[in-house]
Amino acid sequence: MSIQFKSIVDLRAMLDEGSISASELTQESLKLAKKYKELNCFVTMNEELSAKKANAIDLNEKDSSWLSGIPLAQKDLFCTEGLRTTCSSKILSNFIPPYSATAVKKLEDAGSITVGKTNMDEFAMGSSNETSFFGNVHNPWKKGYVPGGSSGGSAAAVAAGIVPAATGTDTGGSIRQPAAHCGITGLKPTYGRISRWGMIAFASSLDQAGPLARTAEDCAILLNTMSGHDSKDTTSLNSDVPDFLENINQPIDGLKIGIIKEFNLGDLDPQVQALFEESKKNYEALGAQFIEISLPNISASVPTYYSIAPAECSSNLSRFDGVRFGHRAENTNDLNDLYIKSRSEGFGDEVKRRILIGTYALSAGYYDAYYKKAQQVRRLIKNDFDHAFQSVDVLMTPTSPNAAFKFGSKGAQNPVELYLEDLFTISSNLAGLPAISIPHGQINSLPAGLQLIGNFLREDQILNAAHIFQKNSDHHQARPNLGDF
Amino acid sequence: MSWETVIGLETHVQLSTKTKLFSRASTAFGASPNTNVNLIDCGLPGVLPSVNKEAFYKAIRFGMAVGAQINQTSLFDRKNYFYADLPKGYQITQMDLPIVLGGSIEIISDDSAKTINITRAHLEEDAGKSIHDEFEGFSAIDLNRAGTPLLEIVSEPEISSAKEAVAYMKAMHQLVTYLDVSDGNMAQGSLRCDANVSIRKKGEKELGTRTEIKNINSFKFIEKAINFEIKRQIKILENGEKVTQETRLYDSSKDETRPMRSKEFANDYRYFPEPDLLPVIISDEEIQKIRDEFPELPRDKETRYQEEFGLSVYDAQIIASSKSMADFFETALQKTKNYSLLSNWLIGEISAYLNKEQIEIHESKLTPDIVAVLINRIDDQTISGKIGKSIFEEMCTNGSSPDEIIKSQGLEQISDDGAIEEIIMTVINENPAQVEAYLAGKDKLFGFFVGQVMKLTEGKANPNTVNSILKDKLK
């Protein structure tokens, strides 16, 4: 029986009724990964260990908890003990971590099976998965098109039905935008909801792990397991973790949805606009009310983000120096030469660009004008959201201003073109708020995503709104034709 | 022309916490290279720091002792620079909101007291060590020290001579050891300083251009390095030239300071708030607990020693001046009641021995136990003070107990009247001429008879008993 395109809920039922074993499931998943190798979703496969674990699960007493025996893929930014972790960078192309990220460990402790590590933009810096040292990932919907980024490999692996779900990380839209471009569901939780221990840092104050899956329900299952305070990450929140499945099916009658005035949706591609209007109608039919609301500072989100994120990245990436791990240049004269050559050879252009921007933004004489100012604006944006959530329950935007595009068609001349991909997603990272992207139709046969932003720690509300939408529509069930791969 | 020196010190105190500032690896000194290192200390991808509150408590204790303001909300910042023994490529330190603000410390130089104000004291992590001379063609890195908590104490530029600088560091050493904030071991780098030195014409208000001498780690070197630097700067100014603001290193083998290569300090550290750590908040309850458990400081001890044990001001001061001496005294007092004899020995023989060996009492083989036994044996007249001194030498070398030495060498004092009388009679009978001369009025000969008795008893006869019996017999 094929397992391709099955959700976690489907696979759980199959495992429980005994129509498939964990071992068979894992082997099927590994086979699909091989079959669609050309998609280039994976950087490293975990064949041996995953087979061993699946076998152990089959031999153990029957365990019907959600994730037992379920194959998952991990973004190659999470450290996995004994399994190569590269961040899709040459500088870490030989790095095998001695420990696992808390998020991965929790998923594995819950019985899930890591079948492989997924391709991504190098160090999560990019919105098209084109900055990976290991090559582009194809969008399963159309060969030669980007899957979005940075969690492009995870999104493509789920969209192609290789795994029912995968982990991703989201610093400015890196879960939601690829989820939108690949026609799947992706959730960025509240900052601090999931431990960052073992996640290779891009921008510490913005990075957040989260799930990519076929449905909101599956996202809730993963979120239940991944969440919670971790003493190893002092920025992880010490708040109770509710059962995100419990209220997911509540009617959304009377739900107040805010539309952000400053996003000027009228200026968008008419097709993006049309889909958005249609989704609005669908939500209205489900009992939601729409309110236009002003977030006066939100238009400053992109420049604010591109001051803060590179600044933190320039410091976070200093440890990749060729001294203790990772790529080390040969034939160097002295310590400085070792740094310069190892880093010049090890990092790609986009990473270098951001390190340079960040180094500049933190320099003496520029700190106040860039980094400090950006942090002040960030606070204003956060206040705008706080204010908005006094009158609405969730905010709704398109996830991306456009659908997936051709390899090499954006940002080659002007990187800012690509930075604008994150126009709608970046502000929730700046404010630390949860947000989800769900498929809501297609533009020229390519999927488009709808974003719901929730209030602080209110993943339950956006999951509920997303699930009710999915119960009443079939956009999330559309499957790509993988004949070209 | 008359010149005036202005010195400010930045003191780095390694805090004596069991584990590091941001990881739970041990801080023990002297372990094999790279064994006190965990994932966090070597800056692996994906690791995050978590705060060791013990370091905060120690910093706060220091702040309270110098009468400073304690910032109960503390922030960390990153100081970015590349070096092979700095694993993350940045040091986590406190820039904007240090834990300790202000305060002052009293120093005594040339018998006069002076107050030096403290600008601030902040917590930061130490770097590892680069070893350049052990492996041919390679540099080695030891990360054992990486992440060890440091308290950097910055003084106001109020120190006006090398001597005062030494006095300041001695006061600092006394304070941090008394507070159990640090072991204060300068040879192991637990206490070291950077000295900012400048010269100006006497009476001038404006500060001269300063140089910074990095990483000085002994009282002797502090004095020498600063004196060298003062002379060097005066010479420059007297030649009508200008002092260059720079960072210099003190080379003790040549007794000179010289500039560090410009690359080593021409850094823009790009400070920014550490995003991996939330602000650390110390509660009022924690502050109160630190206050309640505050250790006794030298001044309090001096007073108590005078009141409780009747020590003189001078004796009390000397014993209380060093934490290890005071601890030794107080422990020994649990085993002996002769306070004054104990303090005499500590200030006399024992201090002389420690000075000669250039060690602290806890580094010697002496223990409060064996010294208390020695005092008791002298006190109960088992041995004389003189024999005590000869036993002491052996105690210092072997750490053996006085009772064992007395027993094995038969040094017990003879206080038995009958035995002493017998020996005295022998001496009198063998020296009739001297007896006659003594009885004829030559009083000085009394010493001769005592000497003879001591000779026959190998110095073990109780001198008081000898005196009284001899006087009686020579009537």
Side-chain angles (χ1 to χ4, degrees):
Chain A
M1 189 189 294
S2 171
I3 60 130
Q4 198 178 3
F5 302 118
K6 293 267 189 287
S7 69
I8 294 175
V9 174
D10 297 338
L11 294 173
R12 178 79 265 142
M14 289 166 73
L15 284 163
D16 286 350
E17 70 194 25
S19 62
I20 195 166
S21 68
S23 291
E24 286 162 349
L25 184 46
T26 298
Q27 287 314 314
E28 282 299 311
S29 179
L30 289 167
K31 254 187 233 162
L32 287 168
K34 246 182 222 154
K35 182 173 174 191
Y36 300 115
K37 206 169 184 330
E38 212 188 327
L39 282 172
N40 203 20
C41 299
F42 289 92
V43 173
T44 307
M45 296 310 298
N46 190 28
E47 278 144 331
E48 213 173 299
L49 286 176
S50 59
K52 219 185 242 175
K53 182 167 179 192
N55 196 36
I57 285 173
D58 287 333
L59 292 174
N60 277 348
E61 210 174 308
K62 203 154 183 149
D63 178 1
S64 297
S65 60
W66 277 115
L67 292 175
S68 177
I70 301 290
L72 296 177
Q74 316 288 359
K75 187 176 185 179
D76 207 16
L77 174 147
F78 292 95
C79 284
T80 42
E81 187 177 342
L83 183 63
R84 184 172 74 140
T85 300
T86 69
C87 262
S88 285
S89 179
K90 182 180 177 186
I91 211 158
L92 281 180
S93 53
N94 59 3
F95 177 62
I96 299 176
Y99 78 110
S100 285
T102 299
V104 169
K105 187 158 189 308
K106 282 182 155 185
L107 290 171
E108 290 183 342
D109 287 351
S112 75
I113 291 161
T114 298
V115 293
K117 305 293 292 289
T118 58
N119 204 341
M120 52 185 276
D121 280 297
E122 185 181 6
F123 282 104
M125 298 175 200
S127 305
S128 62
N129 216 117
E130 292 172 296
T131 69
S132 168
F133 175 65
F134 298 100
N136 292 355
V137 175
H138 290 270
N139 190 315
W141 290 82
K142 199 165 186 180
K143 200 172 183 175
Y145 276 63
V146 303
S150 67
S151 310
S154 287
V158 174
I162 298 168
V163 283
T167 54
T169 61
D170 190 316
T171 306
S174 281
I175 287 175
R176 291 159 286 162
Q177 183 256 21
H181 284 353
C182 290
I184 61 166
T185 304
L187 171 71
K188 179 204 97 76
T190 305
Y191 180 81
R193 181 62 101 177
I194 297 173
S195 167
R196 290 188 296 118
W197 174 262
M199 255 172 71
I200 298 174
F202 158 20
S204 310
S205 73
L206 299 158
D207 294 345
Q208 180 57 214
L212 295 101
R214 305 200 67 79
T215 64
E217 207 177 8
D218 280 5
C219 282
I221 291 170
L222 258 64
L223 187 64
N224 274 344
T225 303
M226 295 167 82
S227 298
H229 179 68
D230 180 4
S231 60
K232 295 205 278 292
D233 174 8
T234 62
T235 64
S236 71
L237 295 167
N238 220 336
S239 323
D240 287 343
V241 180
D243 178 355
F244 293 107
L245 282 173
E246 198 180 320
N247 295 320
I248 201 164
N249 216 2
Q250 295 268 326
I252 55 165
D253 208 30
L255 183 77
K256 281 182 261 171
I257 303 180
I259 302 291
I260 300 167
K261 193 176 133 203
E262 284 74 14
F263 278 154
N264 295 327
L265 298 177
D267 296 348
L268 288 177
D269 175 337
Q271 295 190 75
V272 175
Q273 213 180 312
L275 282 182
F276 191 74
E277 288 306 321
E278 197 188 312
S279 293
K280 253 176 91 173
K281 277 195 199 107
N282 289 337
Y283 264 116
E284 267 163 355
L286 291 167
Q289 293 166 241
F290 281 87
I291 300 162
E292 194 184 57
I293 193 144
S294 172
L295 283 85
N297 299 289
I298 203 164
S299 45
S301 293
V302 174
T304 300
Y305 175 90
Y306 278 98
S307 301
I308 293 171
E312 292 181 6
C313 121
S314 71
S315 176
N316 283 333
L317 268 57
S318 293
R319 70 188 62 197
F320 304 104
D321 57 5
V323 173
R324 296 166 313 286
F325 47 76
H327 174 72
R328 178 193 287 217
E330 313 241 340
N331 303 319
T332 51
N333 301 322
D334 57 22
L335 187 59
N336 267 330
D337 198 35
L338 171 77
Y339 289 149
I340 291 167
K341 285 191 180 139
S342 301
R343 288 167 67 82
S344 297
E345 294 167 8
F347 290 136
D349 286 347
E350 183 59 27
V351 171
K352 285 177 191 165
R353 182 177 297 123
R354 297 201 194 188
I355 291 174
L356 285 173
I357 294 171
T359 304
Y360 180 81
L362 289 177
S363 301
Y366 298 98
Y367 176 86
D368 287 352
Y370 294 102
Y371 188 80
K372 199 171 167 194
K373 178 66 64 67
Q375 288 291 14
Q376 288 162 343
V377 177
R378 181 180 186 174
R379 164 57 58 183
L380 294 178
I381 292 169
K382 170 91 172 53
N383 292 347
D384 282 358
F385 274 107
D386 287 347
H387 189 249
F389 281 115
Q390 286 173 9
S391 42
V392 301
D393 300 313
V394 298
L395 293 160
M396 192 168 108
T397 77
T399 307
S400 171
N402 46 258
F405 44 90
K406 248 190 190 150
F407 286 162
S409 65
K410 262 196 186 186
Q413 304 303 320
N414 179 8
V416 175
E417 227 176 41
L418 253 181
Y419 296 171
L420 290 173
E421 269 291 297
D422 300 329
L423 185 64
F424 299 126
T425 48
I426 267 177
S427 55
S428 41
N429 296 83
L430 290 170
L433 299 172
I436 193 168
S437 173
I438 53 176
H440 73 149
Q442 296 188 352
I443 298 169
N444 305 331
S445 308
L446 286 167
L450 178 72
Q451 176 179 237
L452 299 166
I453 303 170
N455 202 351
F456 190 66
L457 287 176
R458 293 310 300 271
E459 290 88 350
D460 61 330
Q461 267 185 330
I462 53 175
L463 280 165
N464 173 219
H467 177 68
I468 296 300
F469 184 90
Q470 291 183 337
K471 250 179 85 175
N472 292 282
S473 64
D474 55 8
H475 299 299
H476 61 291
Q477 279 162 354
R479 296 168 182 182
N481 176 355
L482 291 159
D484 284 346
F485 298 99
Chain B
M1 192 177 299
S2 191
W3 301 97
E4 183 173 71
T5 305
V6 180
I7 301 164
L9 292 179
E10 288 166 26
T11 312
H12 296 262
V13 179
Q14 234 175 46
L15 301 179
S16 53
T17 52
K18 285 195 186 67
T19 60
K20 296 185 177 179
L21 186 50
F22 300 115
S23 92
R24 299 296 77 87
S26 165
T27 54
F29 182 82
S32 304
N34 296 309
T35 53
N36 288 344
V37 173
N38 68 16
L39 303 176
I40 296 172
D41 306 315
C42 58
L44 278 194
V47 301
L48 297 166
S50 52
V51 159
N52 178 359
K53 274 245 177 134
E54 194 54 35
F56 281 80
Y57 299 156
K58 288 187 187 266
I60 291 168
R61 214 183 297 157
F62 172 82
M64 286 177 176
V66 298
Q69 176 194 324
I70 308 295
N71 286 323
Q72 284 177 246
T73 300
S74 230
L75 296 178
F76 282 99
D77 300 277
R78 288 188 187 175
K79 177 180 179 177
N80 294 284
Y81 66 98
F82 283 100
Y83 204 65
D85 55 26
L86 187 72
K88 298 186 294 295
Y90 55 83
Q91 179 194 33
I92 306 177
T93 179
Q94 297 189 301
M95 179 73 171
D96 283 339
L97 206 52
I99 178 94
V100 171
L101 207 59
S104 66
I105 189 165
E106 188 175 274
I107 66 169
I108 302 201
S109 175
D110 284 337
D111 284 338
S112 62
K114 178 175 175 180
T115 299
I116 305 293
N117 286 301
I118 288 166
T119 317
R120 55 183 278 163
H122 64 259
L123 282 165
E124 61 185 27
E125 54 178 344
D126 210 341
K129 261 184 196 157
S130 294
I131 301 150
H132 298 300
D133 50 8
E134 241 176 75
F135 304 94
E136 182 69 34
F138 289 94
S139 283
I141 311 287
D142 179 5
L143 294 179
N144 280 352
R145 199 180 65 183
T148 300
L150 292 179
L151 187 65
E152 181 175 330
I153 304 157
V154 182
S155 85
E156 288 291 306
E158 296 172 347
I159 298 165
S160 23
S161 69
K163 259 192 181 167
E164 278 187 18
V166 172
Y168 174 88
M169 284 303 283
K170 284 192 169 161
M172 203 54 92
H173 181 267
Q174 187 192 52
L175 190 59
V176 297
T177 50
Y178 252 99
L179 294 168
D180 192 24
V181 155
S182 169
D183 65 18
N185 191 320
M186 296 181 86
Q188 292 174 4
S190 301
L191 183 67
R192 51 190 201 259
C193 73
D194 304 338
N196 288 289
V197 180
S198 67
I199 299 295
R200 65 181 169 197
K201 279 182 199 156
K202 214 166 208 155
E204 227 165 62
K205 287 238 166 81
E206 202 126 312
L207 288 170
T209 307
R210 70 187 161 86
T211 60
E212 182 179 10
I213 316 168
K214 280 270 180 204
N215 241 334
I216 331 176
N217 68 347
S218 86
F219 296 132
K220 199 167 83 188
F221 294 161
I222 291 167
E223 185 159 3
K224 287 186 157 189
I226 292 176
N227 275 333
F228 176 90
E229 191 54 24
I230 293 171
K231 276 190 206 134
R232 191 187 70 87
Q233 289 190 19
I234 289 178
K235 202 170 156 195
I236 291 173
L237 295 173
E238 289 189 337
N239 286 340
E241 292 161 33
K242 276 184 179 161
V243 173
T244 316
Q245 181 169 344
E246 62 189 356
T247 307
R248 299 176 71 87
L249 272 180
Y250 176 67
D251 181 341
S252 58
S253 63
K254 292 183 181 152
D255 188 23
E256 63 173 30
T257 67
R258 59 165 180 269
M260 287 169 85
R261 281 184 298 124
S262 60
K263 263 188 195 161
E264 290 173 27
F265 64 92
N267 267 317
D268 175 355
Y269 291 121
R270 292 173 283 122
Y271 284 97
F272 76 106
E274 164 59 287
D276 284 336
L277 288 169
L278 298 179
V280 178
I281 294 162
I282 307 289
S283 67
D284 291 343
E285 289 73 31
E286 286 170 294
I287 293 281
Q288 193 51 48
K289 189 158 181 279
I290 299 169
R291 251 185 239 293
D292 292 345
E293 292 168 359
F294 211 76
E296 194 181 27
L297 292 179
R299 287 286 164 82
D300 309 322
K301 274 200 199 296
E302 282 171 26
T303 316
R304 183 163 66 84
Y305 290 172
Q306 292 168 48
E307 286 170 359
E308 218 170 296
F309 308 121
L311 300 194
S312 69
V313 179
Y314 177 78
D315 289 4
Q317 266 178 4
I318 293 200
I319 293 177
S321 70
S322 123
K323 170 84 162 40
S324 61
M325 187 65 93
D327 283 348
F328 195 97
F329 176 66
E330 290 178 27
T331 315
L333 276 184
Q334 291 165 7
K335 296 267 168 76
T336 181
K337 291 286 156 266
N338 197 334
Y339 317 136
S340 65
L341 191 57
L342 176 62
S343 85
N344 284 344
W345 268 81
L346 281 172
I347 290 161
E349 295 296 317
I350 296 178
S351 291
Y353 166 73
L354 297 174
N355 279 340
K356 197 181 88 202
E357 299 291 322
Q358 288 284 304
I359 51 174
E360 294 250 11
I361 196 158
H362 65 269
E363 296 164 321
S364 76
K365 291 211 166 131
L366 297 171
T367 64
D369 253 14
I370 63 171
V371 169
V373 171
L374 178 69
I375 300 304
N376 288 338
R377 292 301 158 264
I378 297 170
D379 188 47
D380 66 16
Q381 305 201 340
T382 308
I383 54 170
S384 63
K386 200 172 165 199
I387 297 270
K389 284 177 189 174
S390 70
I391 290 177
F392 175 68
E393 273 177 41
E394 196 165 334
M395 287 164 61
C396 291
T397 333
N398 305 323
S400 34
S401 151
D403 281 343
E404 276 169 37
I405 304 172
I406 291 167
K407 207 174 165 196
S408 70
Q409 300 185 10
L411 298 175
E412 256 174 79
Q413 185 159 269
I414 306 168
S415 300
D416 175 50
D417 287 8
I420 292 178
E421 194 178 330
E422 207 170 293
I423 294 162
I424 286 175
M425 287 322 289
T426 316
V427 171
I428 289 176
N429 291 335
E430 280 176 4
N431 297 288
Q434 281 81 354
V435 173
E436 206 171 307
Y438 175 80
L439 291 173
K442 210 170 177 188
D443 289 353
K444 270 189 189 163
L445 275 171
F446 190 78
F448 165 79
F449 296 110
V450 174
Q452 290 299 307
V453 174
M454 286 300 176
K455 199 172 160 191
L456 287 174
T457 58
E458 293 168 311
K460 290 183 288 187
N462 183 329
N464 293 332
T465 318
V466 173
N467 282 353
S468 71
I469 298 179
L470 198 56
K471 267 185 189 152
D472 196 48
K473 294 290 168 195
L474 286 173
K475 261 183 198 161

